[in-house]
């Protein structure tokens, strides 16, 4: 058995060595062309419905006309409200905290719990493996906490002056295409009856740099899926 693998292995090593030599000579000669980065020039390839601007302000009529139910949670002297509705275009979420101490410590600090912010997870109804989900965090500085490569639009605003200890809270507005949870929705007939949602918010009671505490309703967070809250189209 061992003899079967000796020749292919030696051959693979020889090919790799030739490849490394060839690449080395190519770059050393300067024959490769420079690739201009397009970072920052391309927008998200998803489009919300007409009249919806994902800007962190829930001032569109849709938030009052289409979203009739709200979800509220209060803990540690802070509360947050979650609104959601969806249609053929995708899923919309409006998350508002009532928090006097909105903190932004550093870029990508939500993962270390030093930034105020929301983490949103959405699951397709009927997906018992929880393999098809959208999950992303957005903090007071608009830096995301990425859980994967997703196509979405999201924007956070702070009501008051961040790090002042005298804020009213923060708002996150988000549009999530159906494709992020593995659904192909092209008509009203394709729109699911329900989606499942888990949301948490990081509350910071100390100064800038202090570690906060994640609050979430029941066990409905993306650490422990004991509870997932069910949202319908309104």
């Amino acid at each position: 058995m061992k003899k079967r693998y000796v020749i292919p292995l030696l051959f693979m090593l020889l090919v790799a060595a030739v490849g490394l030599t060839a690449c080395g000579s190519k770059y050393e000669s300067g024959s490769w062309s420079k690739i201009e980065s397009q970072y920052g020039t391309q927008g998200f390839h998803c489009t919300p419905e007409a009249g919806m601007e994902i800007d962190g302000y829930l001032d569109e009529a849709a938030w009052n006309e289409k979203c009739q139910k709200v979800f509220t949670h209060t803990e540690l002297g802070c509360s947050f409200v979650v609104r959601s509705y969806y249609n053929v275009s995708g899923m919309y979420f409006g998350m508002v905290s009532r928090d006097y101490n909105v903190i932004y410590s550093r870029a990508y600090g939500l993962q270390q719990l030093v930034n105020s912010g929301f983490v949103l997870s959405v699951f397709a109804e009927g997906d018992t493996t929880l393999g098809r989900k959208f999950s992303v965090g957005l903090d007071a500085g608009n830096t995301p906490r990425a859980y994967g490569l997703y196509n979405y639009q999201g924007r956070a605003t702070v009501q008051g002056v961040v790090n002042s200890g005298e804020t009213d809270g923060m708002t996150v507005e988000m549009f999530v295409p159906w494709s992020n949870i593995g659904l192909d929705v092209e008509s009203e007939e394709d729109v699911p009856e329900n989606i499942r949602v888990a949301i948490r918010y990081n509350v910071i009671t100390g100064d800038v740099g202090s570690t906060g505490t994640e609050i979430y309703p029941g066990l409905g967070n993306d650490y422990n899926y004991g509870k997932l809250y069910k949202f319908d189209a309104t």
Side-chain angles (χ1 to χ4, degrees), residues 30-233:
S31 61
W32 56 284
S33 60
K34 181 179 180 182
I35 299 175
E36 297 293 339
S37 173
Q38 296 298 312
Y39 178 79
T41 64
Q42 301 296 319
F44 291 105
H45 297 283
C46 60
T47 305
E49 64 180 320
M52 287 296 293
E53 183 179 359
I54 309 301
D55 57 2
Y57 296 96
L58 307 182
D59 52 1
E60 292 87 359
W63 288 114
N64 293 318
E65 296 173 358
K66 297 183 179 181
C67 179
Q68 302 300 321
K69 296 180 181 180
V70 297
F71 175 80
T72 306
H73 181 74
T74 302
E75 191 176 343
L76 294 178
C78 172
S79 66
F80 63 85
V81 176
V82 179
R83 300 185 183 190
S84 177
Y85 77 91
Y86 57 80
N87 51 34
V88 175
S89 65
M91 298 168 278
Y92 299 84
F93 296 91
M95 298 166 278
V96 181
S97 70
R98 299 303 178 198
D99 183 357
Y100 74 90
N101 194 42
V102 174
I103 295 293
Y104 180 75
S105 181
R106 61 177 180 268
Y108 305 106
L110 185 57
Q111 185 168 359
Q112 290 76 38
L113 304 182
V114 296
N115 292 350
S116 301
F118 286 97
V119 176
L120 167 69
S121 297
V122 187
F123 306 80
E125 179 77 319
D127 177 19
T128 57
T129 66
L130 302 181
R132 293 181 290 129
K133 69 174 182 178
F134 168 89
S135 189
V136 69
L138 203 60
D139 64 25
N142 272 297
T143 52
R145 176 182 179 183
Y147 292 82
L149 296 175
Y150 297 109
N151 187 23
Y152 69 99
Q153 289 190 29
R155 186 71 181 175
T157 57
V158 176
Q159 286 68 64
V161 179
V162 68
N163 298 340
S164 68
E166 297 179 353
T167 56
D168 292 325
M170 65 175 288
T171 300
V172 170
E173 186 175 21
M174 193 170 291
F175 168 66
V176 182
W178 290 110
S179 58
N180 285 309
I181 58 173
L183 298 180
D184 186 14
V185 176
E186 297 182 353
S187 66
E188 292 289 347
E189 290 73 22
D190 299 326
V191 177
E193 183 177 351
N194 297 294
I195 58 174
R196 296 178 295 169
V197 180
I199 297 175
R200 52 192 163 97
Y201 180 74
N202 189 43
V203 179
I204 301 173
T205 57
D207 298 329
V208 176
S210 300
T211 301
T213 301
E214 292 177 317
I215 61 174
Y216 47 87
L219 296 177
N221 64 77
D222 57 0
Y223 293 138
N224 185 336
Y225 301 108
K227 292 182 180 178
L228 291 172
Y229 291 84
K230 190 174 290 188
F231 284 67
D232 62 19

